[in-house]
Amino acid sequence: MTLPFTIEAQAGPARHARIHTAHGDVETPAFMPVGTAGTVKAVPQDILEDLGAQVILGNTYHLYLRPGHELVRKLGGLHKFMSWDRALLTDSGGFQVFSLSELRKVKEEGVSFRSHLDGTSHLFTPERSMEIQIALGADIVMAFDECTEHPAERERARASMEMTLRWAKRSKDYFEAHKHEVPWKGRVIGRSGDRGIGKSEESVPAQPRAAAVRSSISPELPTTPALFGIVQGGMYADLRRESAERTVELDFPGYAIGGLSVGESRAKTMDMIAAVLEILPKDKPRYVMGVGYPEEIVQYAAMGVDMMDCVLPTRAARHGLLFTSEGRINIKNARYAQDQGPADPKCSCRVCSRYTRAYLRHLFVSAEPLAGVLNTVHNLAFYLDTMRSVRHAITLGDLSGILSGSVSFT
Amino acid sequence: MTLPFTIEAQAGPARHARIHTAHGDVETPAFMPVGTAGTVKAVPQDILEDLGAQVILGNTYHLYLRPGHELVRKLGGLHKFMSWDRALLTDSGGFQVFSLSELRKVKEEGVSFRSHLDGTSHLFTPERSMEIQIALGADIVMAFDECTEHPAERERARASMEMTLRWAKRSKDYFEAHKHEVPWKGRVIGRSGDRGIGKSEESVPAQPRAAAVRSSISPELPTTPALFGIVQGGMYADLRRESAERTVELDFPGYAIGGLSVGESRAKTMDMIAAVLEILPKDKPRYVMGVGYPEEIVQYAAMGVDMMDCVLPTRAARHGLLFTSEGRINIKNARYAQDQGPADPKCSCRVCSRYTRAYLRHLFVSAEPLAGVLNTVHNLAFYLDTMRSVRHAITLGDLSGILSGSVSFT
């Protein structure tokens, strides 16, 4: 099995499952913090572990440009480079180069673009994206796709979807031929507390990894990364269904829904997700890329989505926006200057159990670097705790409380 | 006793002692991290605790301007505001307004200056400095002094020294009349892990604080802050001695040597310190302000200095300069791009035990906020471990190893 996936409980279409990776289990529904350049911005790795993050996302575009995938490969892969021995997923780079708009050009071969760092010219193809992601050593690799712009005419959306399908085939062909080149293949990685810095690989004890988060019934673990296909099709439900059917025909161990959260209404996003979920196989993980607000990720999990990622909790934190059980608060607001309560009275994270809103406001208005650290830690705790509550509710077989607003997110 | 001071071991003029504050013991010789605006830049308070910091310094000038001492007083003082229940020392604000050069004017009454934040006009007098520091609730308050510029003619240095003595008397008079107004007076503060956020004071258990770092023979703890006098006198040893004698006549529970590290040679700094240490009473703590490099603080501790503070480890960290047992390294240097060793192979801090130089370099050249966090944590660990080694050497009665370079700092 390329990527064992064990469903442990269901509540309607929602599932609580485990993805068994070579770097530990990922409990789903999972929110994946974004660690763009080999770091979840402002957060040390041990705090990410304490928060319970079981998988984080790396951005292929950024890591390719700096420090470079060949350097990362040479140093043992991204897990070792950033000292993160839990699971890693990398995106394909497609969305990032798509976002460069003025600097990129899409052809059948791939996407040529200029670096936002130094203006140098580069070409991403499906093959190149696979090569980079394998060099980085992600546990889950994403097919190279074209994120269709919004709005797009039907014919444009179809053409883009067709290219994504051709690129998915090319991604898979290259990936299957090269997946054994992953830098951690055959490498036994030490457990937390034994980082192996300055030690030879031989001196690291051959223990099973991340045993604490692994189910008592452990399937055989993968020895290579797994490649996910990506469904596109713009905002046309029939194109989305066709994209899903034809991507499933290519047979991947997991499927993502891309090209959403690009400016469409929330109702439209949900329609597209619902249309695709009908098609995707129920025994494999299903990942909606780039979403969303807390109430959205709860909703999508209830619909049967297993994985999500978004820069929102981390990026908003650096702008002073905190997610709480009482709604979103802008910590720089003067009303918090003398507020001795925690950011979120229902939160038990290390920030809420120690610091007041008054202090967090002071740090933010003073542009202190600790503001970004503490705000990010709280927001990630809120997102990860939200997903933990969702998993618990699924285990109890009842998501109505969390969906009806007895847990409030807005 | 205003500030109990217990000498536990001596090695020549060097002493290993404990300052018993209302917020825990401070083992000396101590290096005090600088927490300018109620935060040691980029470092969460729990990490400072883990590093073993027993006292940190707050800057009166910065806290007065933002968030304002009245706000801090209203919220229970700086300990509570920043959630730091170990010892705090505040400077007088004199050095900071002295540093404003173009924006300040010194008169007998005090120093008028304009805020670097918004240009508003303010006046610091000895009385005002005491009022602010008492409102902040420091355990150790510094007399308001004039930091004599360098170079200064003899008569100018004398006049400045005389004014500092008059200001010391005014500082003491105001302080003695108002020291009971400290916000933590009579307040029983919870221990680590019981931060009291959102709890009434009554619900906090009345336990002795920081018992872990307190000597088994605990003297009665102070219920008010302690005021330290400051010796000035420019670079004239006889003026320094006279300043020390006349400051000691005013009778403070501790003494600082100010106006050093302002551009003079290291030999001159040592001469001035040596001249003053001959005069200062041996049964009270002696504090050299604003120093220094690791090899300097070891040297001064060996001469009998008990306390030091400096922005160097924290500020240098944010510029990528790391202090190590192998000397100073600039982490952005390309030679570290593939270096899989830790920042300092002899360091066991949480940064050196987990991250490589290659990763730290990547974070720094990518301007990632985690760079500032990790670099600062390592540099503080290096400074605090250095002082721990000095204390250990004093206990063993032999500082020769640490002074001769079997521990190398440059």
Side-chain angles (χ1 to χ4, degrees):
Chain A
M1 184 75 181
T2 315
L3 190 66
F5 181 68
T6 313
I7 294 174
E8 302 198 333
Q10 289 186 278
R15 334 77 87 67
H16 166 39
R18 284 173 186 273
I19 303 170
H20 307 273
T21 83
H23 294 88
D25 281 7
V26 176
E27 292 172 279
T28 68
F31 177 80
M32 305 187 286
V34 177
T36 300
T39 158
V40 174
K41 287 193 190 297
V43 185
Q45 273 70 313
D46 59 324
I47 295 183
L48 289 174
E49 289 170 351
D50 289 350
L51 288 171
Q54 294 171 337
V55 54
I56 62 176
L57 190 147
N59 286 124
T60 288
Y61 168 79
H62 290 92
L63 290 162
Y64 161 79
L65 291 178
R66 192 169 58 191
H69 63 293
E70 286 300 349
L71 177 73
V72 174
R73 186 212 301 265
K74 191 169 174 184
L75 298 184
L78 186 55
H79 290 92
K80 191 173 177 193
F81 180 65
M82 67 180 288
S83 187
W84 175 255
D85 59 12
R86 298 187 182 179
L88 279 173
L89 180 150
T90 44
D91 66 4
S92 70
F95 180 78
Q96 247 86 25
V97 296
F98 165 84
S99 307
L100 293 173
S101 52
E102 293 305 300
L103 298 170
R104 59 112 170 97
K105 193 175 169 190
V106 181
K107 300 170 289 189
E108 182 65 28
E109 183 189 8
V111 183
S112 56
F113 61 95
R114 290 181 182 278
S115 159
H116 75 286
L117 294 176
D118 62 6
T120 50
S121 295
H122 303 266
L123 174 68
F124 272 1
T125 63
E127 294 78 15
R128 183 71 164 154
S129 173
M130 296 304 104
E131 180 196 345
I132 297 166
Q133 292 183 75
I134 291 167
L136 295 173
D139 296 283
I140 299 175
V141 164
M142 300 305 298
F144 190 69
D145 64 328
E146 186 185 38
C147 180
T148 313
E149 66 279 6
H150 178 77
E153 294 296 325
R154 183 180 178 80
E155 281 317 298
R156 162 64 196 143
R158 168 169 287 284
S160 175
M161 177 200 90
E162 295 280 359
M163 188 154 71
T164 285
L165 283 163
R166 292 191 296 276
W167 286 359
K169 178 72 169 64
R170 285 169 57 191
S171 292
K172 190 177 179 191
D173 289 347
Y174 188 96
F175 179 82
E176 293 299 332
H178 295 273
K179 64 184 180 184
H180 295 283
E181 296 165 11
V182 75
W184 47 263
K185 186 185 166 296
R187 182 158 64 92
V188 177
I189 297 168
R191 300 174 69 179
S192 296
D194 184 7
R195 306 295 168 188
I197 279 188
K199 299 191 183 79
S200 69
E201 293 302 335
E202 287 69 31
S203 70
V204 178
Q207 287 177 300
R209 292 198 51 276
V213 293
R214 185 163 294 147
S215 172
S216 52
I217 305 157
S218 285
E220 195 173 340
L221 292 183
T223 55
T224 66
L227 176 65
F228 279 23
I230 303 179
V231 174
Q232 290 286 350
M235 299 304 155
Y236 302 94
D238 59 331
L239 292 183
R240 284 281 173 179
R241 277 190 289 266
E242 181 179 342
S243 175
E245 282 162 4
R246 292 169 62 189
T247 307
V248 171
E249 281 169 20
L250 291 172
D251 190 20
F252 292 97
Y255 298 91
I257 309 176
L260 295 180
S261 209
V262 289
E264 78 281 9
S265 69
R266 194 175 292 186
K268 180 62 82 178
T269 315
M270 287 188 54
D271 285 350
M272 294 302 112
I273 293 172
V276 173
L277 288 179
E278 282 176 26
I279 313 290
L280 295 181
K282 296 205 176 351
D283 61 345
K284 291 183 177 176
R286 305 181 297 196
Y287 163 28
V288 176
M289 307 180 80
V291 294
Y293 283 93
E295 64 273 20
E296 293 176 312
I297 62 174
V298 169
Q299 184 70 55
Y300 303 154
M303 294 167 67
V305 172
D306 306 303
M307 303 159 68
M308 289 162 276
D309 78 281
C310 196
V311 294
L312 188 55
T314 42
R315 184 175 292 166
R318 300 195 301 280
H319 291 91
L321 189 72
L322 300 180
F323 294 95
T324 81
S325 61
E326 299 177 339
R328 298 194 276 275
I329 69 173
N330 195 325
I331 199 64
K332 81 176 166 195
N333 196 308
R335 68 192 291 187
Y336 302 121
Q338 301 189 28
D339 190 332
Q340 303 220 55
D344 183 348
K346 290 188 182 162
C347 180
S348 61
C349 81
R350 65 171 68 207
V351 176
C352 288
S353 55
R354 179 153 197 167
Y355 304 102
T356 64
R357 288 178 173 179
Y359 184 63
L360 295 177
R361 176 182 189 269
H362 166 66
L363 294 178
F364 187 79
V365 299
S366 303
E368 281 289 341
L370 190 57
V373 177
L374 298 184
N375 292 348
T376 304
V377 170
H378 166 72
N379 275 357
L380 285 178
F382 187 79
Y383 267 67
L384 294 166
D385 286 349
T386 296
M387 283 294 103
R388 203 172 283 118
S389 300
V390 167
R391 292 195 295 269
H392 185 63
I394 295 170
T395 302
L396 298 178
D398 182 10
L399 277 162
S400 59
I402 209 165
L403 284 169
S404 69
S406 64
V407 177
S408 167
F409 296 105
T410 50
Chain B
M1 187 73 181
T2 314
L3 190 68
F5 181 68
T6 312
I7 295 174
E8 302 197 333
Q10 289 185 278
R15 341 62 96 72
H16 166 38
R18 283 174 185 271
I19 303 170
H20 308 274
T21 83
H23 294 88
D25 282 6
V26 176
E27 293 171 279
T28 69
F31 177 80
M32 306 187 286
V34 177
T36 300
T39 158
V40 175
K41 285 191 190 302
V43 185
Q45 274 71 314
D46 60 324
I47 295 183
L48 288 174
E49 290 169 352
D50 288 350
L51 288 171
Q54 295 171 336
V55 54
I56 62 174
L57 188 147
N59 286 124
T60 287
Y61 168 79
H62 290 92
L63 290 163
Y64 160 79
L65 290 178
R66 193 169 59 193
H69 63 294
E70 286 300 347
L71 177 74
V72 174
R73 185 213 301 266
K74 191 170 174 181
L75 298 183
L78 187 56
H79 291 90
K80 191 173 176 193
F81 180 66
M82 66 181 290
S83 188
W84 175 256
D85 59 12
R86 299 187 182 179
L88 279 173
L89 179 149
T90 45
D91 66 3
S92 70
F95 181 77
Q96 248 85 24
V97 296
F98 165 84
S99 306
L100 293 172
S101 50
E102 293 305 300
L103 299 170
R104 59 111 169 101
K105 193 174 168 190
V106 182
K107 300 171 290 189
E108 182 66 27
E109 183 190 8
V111 183
S112 56
F113 61 95
R114 289 181 183 279
S115 160
H116 75 286
L117 295 175
D118 62 7
T120 49
S121 293
H122 302 265
L123 175 68
F124 272 1
T125 62
E127 294 78 15
R128 184 71 164 155
S129 172
M130 296 304 104
E131 179 196 346
I132 298 166
Q133 293 184 74
I134 291 168
L136 294 173
D139 296 284
I140 298 175
V141 163
M142 300 304 297
F144 191 69
D145 65 328
E146 186 185 41
C147 180
T148 312
E149 68 278 5
H150 177 77
E153 295 294 325
R154 182 182 179 78
E155 280 318 299
R156 162 64 195 143
R158 167 170 285 285
S160 175
M161 176 200 91
E162 296 279 358
M163 188 153 72
T164 285
L165 282 164
R166 292 191 296 275
W167 285 359
K169 178 71 169 63
R170 284 169 58 190
S171 294
K172 189 176 181 194
D173 289 347
Y174 187 98
F175 179 83
E176 292 299 332
H178 295 273
K179 66 184 179 184
H180 295 286
E181 296 164 12
V182 74
W184 46 262
K185 185 184 167 295
R187 183 159 66 91
V188 178
I189 298 167
R191 300 175 67 182
S192 296
D194 184 8
R195 304 297 168 189
I197 278 187
K199 298 190 184 80
S200 69
E201 292 302 337
E202 287 69 32
S203 71
V204 178
Q207 287 177 302
R209 292 196 51 277
V213 292
R214 184 163 295 147
S215 173
S216 52
I217 304 158
S218 286
E220 195 172 342
L221 293 182
T223 55
T224 65
L227 176 65
F228 279 23
I230 303 179
V231 173
Q232 292 285 350
M235 300 303 158
Y236 302 93
D238 58 332
L239 293 183
R240 286 278 174 183
R241 276 190 290 266
E242 181 180 341
S243 175
E245 282 163 4
R246 291 170 60 189
T247 306
V248 170
E249 281 170 19
L250 290 173
D251 190 19
F252 292 97
Y255 298 92
I257 308 176
L260 295 178
S261 210
V262 289
E264 78 280 10
S265 69
R266 193 174 293 187
K268 179 64 79 176
T269 313
M270 287 189 51
D271 285 350
M272 295 301 111
I273 293 172
V276 173
L277 288 179
E278 283 177 25
I279 312 289
L280 295 182
K282 296 201 173 359
D283 60 346
K284 292 183 177 176
R286 307 183 293 196
Y287 164 26
V288 176
M289 307 180 80
V291 294
Y293 282 93
E295 64 274 21
E296 293 174 311
I297 62 175
V298 169
Q299 185 70 54
Y300 304 153
M303 293 166 69
V305 172
D306 306 302
M307 303 159 70
M308 287 162 277
D309 78 282
C310 196
V311 294
L312 188 56
T314 42
R315 183 175 292 166
R318 299 195 301 281
H319 291 91
L321 189 72
L322 300 179
F323 294 95
T324 82
S325 61
E326 298 176 340
R328 298 193 275 275
I329 68 172
N330 194 328
I331 199 65
K332 80 176 168 196
N333 197 309
R335 70 193 289 189
Y336 302 121
Q338 301 187 29
D339 189 332
Q340 303 220 55
D344 183 348
K346 290 188 181 160
C347 181
S348 61
C349 81
R350 64 171 66 207
V351 177
C352 288
S353 55
R354 179 150 197 169
Y355 304 102
T356 62
R357 287 177 174 179
Y359 184 63
L360 295 177
R361 175 181 189 268
H362 166 65
L363 293 179
F364 187 80
V365 299
S366 303
E368 282 289 341
L370 191 57
V373 178
L374 298 184
N375 291 348
T376 303
V377 169
H378 167 72
N379 274 357
L380 284 179
F382 187 78
Y383 267 66
L384 293 166
D385 286 350
T386 296
M387 283 293 101
R388 203 173 282 119
S389 300
V390 167
R391 293 194 296 267
H392 185 63
I394 294 171
T395 302
L396 298 178
D398 182 11
L399 278 162
S400 59
I402 208 164
L403 284 169
S404 70
S406 64
V407 176
S408 166
F409 296 104
T410 49

